[in-house]
Amino acid sequence: MREERATVIVIGLGIMGSATAWALARRGVRVLGLEQYAPFHALGSSHGKTRIIREAYFESPEYVPLVQRAYELWDELGERTGRRLLRVTGGVSIGRLDSPFIVGARESAQRHGLAHELLDAQEARKRFPVLALPDDFVALVEGRAGILFAEECWRAFCEDAVRHGAELRFGVRVHGFAPDGEGMTVETESGRLRADRVVVTAGPWSTTLLADLGLPLEVRRVLVVHVQPDDPTRFRPEVLPIFIMDVPEGEYYGFPFLPDQGVKFGRHDDGEVCTPESVRRTVTDDEVRWMTGVLERYLPGAAREVLMTVTCLYTMTPDSHFVIDRHPEWPQVVFAAGFSGHGFKFASVMGEALADLALEGASRLPIGFLSFRRLAKAQ
C-alpha cells in the first residue's frame, strides 16, 4: 500500500500547532496536522475562553519585537476570518517597586519606547477604584495590553489553514518519527506517514516525543477560578484592565468581568508537578478558598460567587523562556516547547517562526535567545 506523504507534518494541534499549520498553508505548502485528541479538548494548555496579551513584557525585553509582530498577525487573522480575536483593555502590573513584574516591565518599556505610566498606590487606587493596594505597592500601566479570545483564535487558525489547503486530523496518536533519507517517517496508531519536514508542537507531551533531546521540561498543574462579582459594572473592561500581581501570596493574573466567564483569576507561580496523564483534575475547597481569598484581598467584591474552576498545564523550562529550534541531529525536524505559562499570546508569531525554520532552516525573526543550545549548555 502506498504511504501517505505531505511536505510538512505538524504533530500537535493546540494553539502553537494550529498556528504553524496556518503559516505553512498560507505559503502554499502541503501540510498535514495531527492531533491525538478531539478539537477543544481540555487536557493540555490551549483550552479556555481567554488569554492575556501585553507589550511591556517583564520576562525580558527580547520578547517585545516578537509580541509586536504577534499583534500584527492577530489583527491580520481576525480580518481574514471575520472573527474578533483581540480586545484591547490596557493592562496594569501590580507589586512593590522592586518586583520583577515592575522592574522588567519598565525595562522593556524604556528600551523599546513603549508608552507607560508608573503610579503609586494612592494614584492607582484613584485610577482603578476596585483595587485595594497596600501603600508600599506601585502599578505600571500600559495601553496595548488586552484579551485574546482563545477559542476563537484556535478556530480562526484551523479555519484559515484548511481554506488554504491544510488537512487537519484529530484523534490520531503519534508513536514516534525517524529520519528516512532526507525526509521523515511518522508512525501513528493508524499507519505510517512520510514528510519532507516535521514540526513538533506537542505541549506537555514534548518530553515523550522529543525524548532523545533530554529537554529539561517540568509539567505543572495550575488553577484558574471564574467568579461572579457583587456588582459586575465595577469590574467591566472599561473600568478594570487585565492585571498581573506580584503579592506576598504569590504571582497571579486576572481579567475584567466578561458575561460568559465572570472575573477570571489564576495563579502563575505555583503548581503541582505532574504529567499529562497523572495530573489531578479535581479542585479542592481549600484551593478555591485560597484563590478567592487572595482576589478579595486586592479586589474586594470580585468573588461573590464561584462560577467554575479550571485546571491547566504549564510546561516549564528552567529559565521560563520558550525553546524553539531545529533538532540538532535531524535538521528535517523543528520543534517548539516549554512555553512556561506565557506563550499563548505569541502563537501567531511562533507559527511564522516555525514555518521559517521548517522551510528555510532559519528565521529572520529574533528568536535566537530561545534556542535549544542554551538549555543543552546548562545541562
Side-chain angles (χ1 to χ4, degrees):
M1 185 175 69
R2 186 172 66 87
E3 292 175 338
E4 288 189 80
R5 185 178 184 90
T7 304
V8 182
I9 291 177
V10 179
I11 302 174
L13 289 175
I15 196 63
M16 297 299 170
S18 61
T20 304
W22 175 69
L24 288 164
R26 292 178 69 208
R27 301 184 194 192
V29 174
R30 185 181 178 191
V31 56
L32 171 61
L34 304 176
E35 167 58 49
Q36 62 180 326
Y37 296 112
F40 299 109
H41 73 84
L43 303 176
S45 307
S46 297
H47 56 288
K49 293 183 179 297
T50 51
R51 294 292 191 279
I52 285 173
I53 186 167
R54 48 194 168 84
E55 187 178 26
Y57 219 68
F58 80 82
E59 289 85 348
S60 172
E62 291 180 282
Y63 283 100
V64 174
L66 291 173
V67 80
Q68 290 175 332
R69 177 58 178 157
Y71 273 101
E72 294 174 359
L73 290 168
W74 288 123
D75 287 343
E76 181 180 338
L77 178 63
E79 290 175 4
R80 293 183 62 85
T81 61
R83 296 182 179 276
R84 188 184 189 190
L85 306 182
L86 170 63
R87 177 173 181 176
V88 173
T89 63
V92 58
S93 301
I94 297 163
R96 294 189 172 94
L97 190 60
D98 61 354
S99 162
F101 282 21
I102 304 300
V103 173
R106 290 182 79 187
E107 182 182 0
S108 284
Q110 291 166 356
R111 184 179 299 187
H112 293 281
L114 308 179
H116 66 289
E117 296 178 82
L118 187 66
L119 310 179
D120 63 26
Q122 183 177 356
E123 292 170 325
R125 292 190 293 259
K126 184 176 180 180
R127 178 81 60 88
F128 309 109
V130 298
L131 295 181
L133 300 190
D135 288 339
D136 61 341
F137 274 38
V138 298
L140 186 140
V141 182
E142 59 172 303
R144 290 189 74 197
I147 300 168
L148 285 168
F149 298 102
E151 290 183 359
E152 288 295 285
C153 292
W154 185 88
R155 286 181 189 273
F157 280 137
C158 293
E159 178 183 298
D160 209 43
V162 170
R163 183 180 295 122
H164 282 84
E167 181 180 356
L168 308 180
R169 297 182 188 172
F170 295 87
V172 179
R173 188 180 299 272
V174 172
H175 295 309
F177 49 86
D180 184 0
E182 295 184 357
M184 297 294 295
T185 296
V186 177
E187 299 287 349
T188 77
E189 59 187 6
S190 55
R192 177 178 295 173
L193 306 167
R194 296 199 74 248
D196 297 334
R197 300 288 185 268
V198 167
V199 179
V200 182
T201 48
W205 292 272
S206 297
T207 52
T208 300
L209 280 173
L210 297 168
D212 61 305
L213 293 182
L215 290 170
L217 303 178
E218 181 179 84
V219 179
R220 297 182 191 168
R221 168 192 179 270
V222 292
L223 178 63
V224 176
V225 297
H226 293 258
V227 293
Q228 179 73 15
D230 56 4
D231 178 3
T233 62
R234 297 175 55 235
F235 297 88
R236 66 188 189 278
E238 295 80 8
V239 178
L240 176 69
I242 62 95
F243 58 94
I244 60 174
M245 307 192 311
D246 181 9
V247 295
E249 297 84 356
E251 297 175 1
Y252 299 84
Y253 63 91
F255 295 74
F257 175 84
L258 296 174
D260 61 346
Q261 72 169 27
V263 171
K264 177 179 174 182
F265 186 62
R267 185 157 190 180
H268 182 66
D269 66 329
D270 188 41
E272 299 171 1
V273 177
C274 62
T275 68
E277 294 74 30
S278 69
V279 59
R280 177 171 60 89
R281 296 290 181 181
T282 58
V283 178
T284 68
D285 291 342
D286 285 345
E287 288 177 312
V288 173
R289 277 192 291 270
W290 174 267
M291 293 290 288
T292 56
V294 173
L295 181 58
E296 280 287 320
R297 194 165 301 132
Y298 298 100
L299 284 83
R304 184 189 69 185
E305 175 189 356
V306 176
L307 300 175
M308 63 177 174
T309 60
V310 179
T311 58
C312 188
L313 298 179
Y314 279 7
T315 306
M316 306 294 299
T317 60
D319 59 10
S320 297
H321 296 310
F322 319 152
V323 54
I324 174 172
D325 213 332
R326 301 170 76 191
H327 193 290
E329 301 296 330
W330 304 335
Q332 311 97 310
V333 176
V334 300
F335 64 94
F339 286 95
S340 302
H342 63 108
F344 193 105
K345 64 185 73 65
F346 293 93
S348 57
V349 71
M350 288 293 103
E352 187 173 61
L354 285 163
D356 289 343
L357 292 176
L359 300 179
E360 303 169 25
S363 178
R364 292 177 293 276
L365 292 163
I367 58 173
F369 75 106
L370 303 174
S371 75
F372 172 64
R373 291 186 299 278
R374 80 178 195 279
L375 298 180
K377 289 177 182 177
Q379 294 185 56

